[in-house]
Amino acid sequence: MTAIVCIEDRGGILFLKRRVSRDREVYRDIAENYDKVYMTSYSLPLFGEVEIDAVVRQAPIAEGECGDVCFVESGEIADNLHKISRLIIYRWNRTYPFDVSIGFDPEASGFRLVSTDELVGYSHEKITKDIYKKI
């Protein structure tokens, strides 16, 4: 399974049940690389401007199977590391307040960084895309 998550510099995902940030270039990048992505109904509107087969699940990773690509905006990712073989992290390269975080350090949790790329965002001048594979 591939898990995709967007975080701020300290690992934050949500603050007061709202995402800490967003950028439409991230969702374009995801759509260019994956045809089908599982996500919650909360995430679905983010992909409205791109062509992608978005499948809504209440808990994409917990309900997912081997081979699925899941976009995650919750703490669910840390509870399901055993199911994830590939992890894609988009970093906003800023700090924002948060109360829900990714909840783990990828390298300390058995993932190895295999590539890093930078995107020029719409609202963020630089977004870092890190791809990890489970060791």
Side-chain angles (χ1 to χ4, degrees), residues 1-2 20 35 50 56 66 69-70 72 79-82 87 106 113 116 124 127 135:
M1 174 182 298
T2 298
V20 296
D35 295 326
V50 297
V56 174
C66 183
V69 176
C70 302
V72 183
D79 296 333
N80 291 282
L81 290 177
H82 63 284
L87 176 64
L113 182 64
T116 297
H124 295 72
I127 300 167
I135 300 171

Side-chain angles (χ1 to χ4, degrees), residues 4-9 20-30 71 88-94 96 115-131:
I4 302 171
V5 64
C6 299
I7 62 172
E8 56 85 65
D9 283 349
V20 296
S21 193
R22 66 183 186 177
D23 191 294
R24 65 183 177 203
E25 294 306 317
V26 167
Y27 313 113
R28 280 200 180 111
D29 188 64
I30 294 168
F71 181 75
I88 300 171
I89 298 177
Y90 290 91
R91 298 179 190 273
W92 299 127
N93 297 304
R94 295 184 186 164
Y96 296 111
S115 72
T116 297
D117 197 8
E118 289 184 0
L119 306 173
V120 176
Y122 180 77
S123 60
H124 295 72
E125 57 191 55
K126 179 179 92 168
I127 300 167
T128 304
K129 178 183 176 183
D130 292 332
I131 300 177

Side-chain angles (χ1 to χ4, degrees), residues 26-27 30-31 37 39 43-52 54 71:
V26 167
Y27 313 113
I30 294 168
V37 178
M39 64 189 70
S43 301
L44 186 61
L46 298 172
F47 293 87
E49 295 181 15
V50 297
E51 197 167 313
I52 194 165
F71 181 75

